[in-house]
Amino acid sequence: SMHDTRLEMLQQQAEAAGLPLETIYLPTDCNTTEYDAIMQQFIQRAARDQVKYIAFGDLFISEIRKYRENQLYGSGIE
């Protein structure tokens, strides 16, 4: 919902790229604190599952790229 992309389109893009897709559902009116906590839980689980890379749809924006890099810092995930 953050990118205003239909789930079906996202699923088709992942399938076309041959990549697994994991969807993280956020509560309605999710604030930054809640979002950060949800993402950290996901990143910790992904690291335990030995995920090496995560793709985001907004890394072309330099501030968001830095934010994502900070979220992943120390997890072993790029």
Side-chain angles (χ1 to χ4, degrees), residues 13 19 21 29:
Q13 289 173 330
L19 297 172
L21 175 66
D29 298 324

Side-chain angles (χ1 to χ4, degrees), residues 4-68:
D4 197 29
T5 303
R6 289 187 358 259
L7 180 57
E8 296 80 16
M9 178 184 280
L10 182 61
Q11 291 166 331
Q12 290 171 352
Q13 289 173 330
E15 184 177 326
L19 297 172
L21 175 66
E22 178 131 8
T23 306
I24 301 168
Y25 293 95
L26 301 172
T28 304
D29 298 324
C30 184
N31 64 41
T32 303
T33 302
E34 292 172 308
Y35 175 81
D36 286 341
I38 291 166
M39 284 300 294
Q40 282 308 307
Q41 289 173 354
F42 173 77
I43 291 166
Q44 290 170 6
R45 183 169 49 85
R48 282 192 306 271
D49 291 344
Q50 300 180 339
V51 169
K52 299 293 179 203
Y53 304 97
I54 296 178
F56 294 95
D58 53 6
L59 295 184
F60 62 94
I61 303 169
S62 62
E63 296 85 19
I64 303 245
R65 182 181 186 95
K66 183 65 175 167
Y67 173 73
R68 300 283 186 216

